[in-house]
């Protein structure tokens, strides 16, 4: 197995484990299509989310509309980059009629499958996702500029260090773990800061709006916890080529996990923020029908 791994590493270098699986064992029709479909579902959901945020922007008072605008920008960014990744999956592998499986396309070295597209998307989206809650809630103790800067710093730091780490997920476990650990420090700082922001935002607002903010916290916590799991997927159940998930099952599980996390943390999160903004607008006397008749 070690000799086989060294041969694969010579061919693929710091490629993600999806490519190692595609070169060594290939993908069954079911596994290949499941990944293709879940990637399509991901970018299609972002397009549907964009339509929702465009159509509902006038449902809230003007001071809350920047949140919907940022959600729209997130949807556009996610749609474009997830679409590119979907195309990347289709071009990176080709069907072998003799084996009846999909293998890494021959002569296609420059177009290996790359999760880096997701990281580029997150580098754009994460700061905006974090900023947009600041346009809905009112901070009672913290400085908005301070919170905004911390969100930006930790959000960018988390994504950039994770981006570097994922290139070592097969070839260098030490570097993979180090960069992943640094990214996790930023990750936990974001969770702490979001909890603080939501707690402050709940002060002095209607109970139903505060309840929705609690729902946002639990959605945020659960959805964001899925990302480290997907990052570590090659090492679930073992290390190296012998790992229980270093195969097509792990690849399918990773892409499903990433897609669920993206839909929850972007689309559903944005919808819930819109709901909070609607409740606050109503409490402040904003009448959608009157103002849009």
């Amino acid at each position: 197995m070690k000799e086989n791994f060294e041969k694969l590493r010579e061919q693929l270098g710091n490629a993600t484990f999806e490519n190692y699986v595609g070169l060594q064992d290939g993908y069954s029709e079911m596994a290949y299509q499941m990944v293709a479909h879940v990637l399509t579902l991901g970018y299609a959901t972002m397009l549907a989310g964009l339509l929702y945020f465009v159509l509902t922007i006038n449902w809230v008072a003007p001071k809350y509309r920047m949140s919907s605008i940022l959600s729209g920008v997130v949807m556009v960014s996610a749609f474009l980059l997830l679409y590119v990744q979907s195309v990347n999956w289709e071009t990176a592998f080709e069907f072998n009629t003799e084996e009846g499986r999909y293998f890494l396309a021959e002569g296609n070295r420059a177009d290996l499958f790359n999760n880096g597209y997701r990281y580029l998307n997150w580098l754009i989206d994460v700061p905006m996702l974090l900023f947009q809650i600041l346009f809905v809630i009112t901070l009672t103790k913290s400085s908005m500029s301070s919170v905004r800067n911390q969100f930006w710093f930790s959000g960018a730091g988390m994504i950039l260090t994770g981006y570097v780490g994922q290139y070592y997920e097969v070839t260098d476990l030490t570097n993979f773990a180090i960069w992943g650990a640094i990214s996790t420090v930023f990750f936990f700082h974001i969770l702490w800061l979001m909890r603080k922001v939501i707690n402050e935002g709940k002060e002095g607002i209607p109970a139903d709006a505060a309840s929705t903010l609690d729902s946002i916290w639990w959605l945020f916590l659960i959805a964001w916890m899925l990302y480290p799991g997907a990052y570590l997927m090659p090492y679930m159940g073992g290390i190296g080529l012998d790992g229980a998930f270093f195969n097509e099952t792990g690849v399918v599980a990773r892409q499903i996990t990433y897609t669920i996390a993206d839909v929850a943390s972007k689309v559903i999160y944005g919808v819930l923020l819109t709901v909070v903004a609607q409740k606050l607008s109503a409490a402040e006397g904003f009448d959608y029908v009157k103002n849009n008749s």
Side-chain angles (χ1 to χ4, degrees):
M1 186 61 70
K2 182 177 180 181
E3 292 178 358
N4 187 30
F5 173 71
E6 292 300 329
K7 182 179 179 181
L8 290 173
R9 186 162 64 176
E10 287 179 5
Q11 293 177 269
L12 296 176
N14 285 341
T16 55
F17 94 114
E18 288 90 348
N19 298 288
Y20 278 78
V21 173
L23 183 60
Q24 178 182 241
D25 300 319
Y27 295 96
S28 65
E29 179 71 18
M30 179 181 289
Y32 176 83
Q33 294 297 344
M34 285 181 72
V35 172
H37 293 158
V38 79
L39 290 173
T40 301
L41 176 65
Y43 72 73
T45 303
M46 300 304 161
L47 194 58
L50 174 62
L51 184 61
Y52 170 85
F53 294 118
V54 169
L55 293 177
T56 60
I57 192 169
N58 290 327
W59 292 9
V60 301
K63 71 177 184 178
Y64 299 120
R65 290 176 187 169
M66 182 55 69
S67 177
S68 294
I69 292 172
L70 289 177
S71 279
V73 174
V74 167
M75 295 301 102
V76 172
S77 167
F79 168 77
L80 292 174
L81 284 165
L82 291 178
Y83 174 77
V84 170
Q85 186 169 43
S86 179
V87 173
N88 179 214
W89 174 260
E90 294 176 1
T91 58
F93 306 99
E94 61 185 4
F95 188 71
N96 184 306
T97 54
E98 294 182 2
E99 298 284 343
R101 298 177 70 83
Y102 288 84
F103 288 90
L104 199 65
E106 295 183 8
N108 207 23
R109 178 64 181 85
D111 199 26
L112 295 175
F113 182 72
N114 195 332
N115 285 305
Y117 291 113
R118 287 194 185 273
Y119 285 86
L120 292 176
N121 172 230
W122 297 331
L123 187 60
I124 297 170
D125 290 353
V126 165
M128 285 188 286
L129 287 170
L130 298 173
F131 291 166
Q132 70 184 97
I133 195 172
L134 300 178
F135 290 97
V136 174
I137 59 91
T138 299
L139 295 174
T140 56
K141 301 180 182 67
S142 305
S143 162
M144 181 174 178
S145 61
S146 174
V147 171
R148 182 192 62 220
N149 292 340
Q150 290 181 71
F151 270 150
W152 179 87
F153 178 78
S154 288
M158 177 183 68
I159 301 305
L160 290 173
T161 51
Y163 175 79
V164 174
Q166 53 113 21
Y167 282 106
Y168 296 106
E169 67 181 22
V170 178
T171 57
D172 191 334
L173 179 57
T174 300
N175 268 316
F176 176 69
I178 289 173
W179 286 104
I182 296 172
S183 181
T184 302
V185 172
F186 291 119
F187 172 70
F188 280 118
H189 177 247
I190 291 171
L191 291 182
W192 171 81
L193 193 58
M194 179 60 78
R195 176 75 268 188
K196 178 181 179 182
V197 165
I198 288 176
N199 282 341
E200 290 189 27
K202 288 164 56 180
E203 296 180 12
I205 67 173
D208 57 346
S211 177
T212 305
L213 279 178
D214 280 331
S215 298
I216 288 174
W217 164 246
W218 286 110
L219 173 76
F220 188 90
L221 180 63
I222 294 170
W224 279 51
M225 281 295 182
L226 294 175
Y227 290 109
Y231 180 84
L232 295 170
M233 193 64 69
Y235 294 98
M236 295 289 187
I239 295 177
L241 301 182
D242 292 323
F245 280 86
F246 205 105
N247 49 40
E248 64 177 29
T249 300
V251 172
V252 172
R254 168 184 269 185
Q255 296 306 321
I256 290 176
T257 302
Y258 273 146
T259 300
I260 291 173
D262 275 350
V263 171
S265 64
K266 297 175 185 179
V267 182
I268 299 177
Y269 168 77
V271 170
L272 289 178
L273 278 178
T274 300
V275 171
V276 173
Q278 289 173 337
K279 292 175 178 179
L280 294 177
S281 297
E284 294 166 6
F286 179 79
D287 187 329
Y288 168 75
V289 176
K290 180 179 180 181
N291 284 274
N292 291 275
S293 59

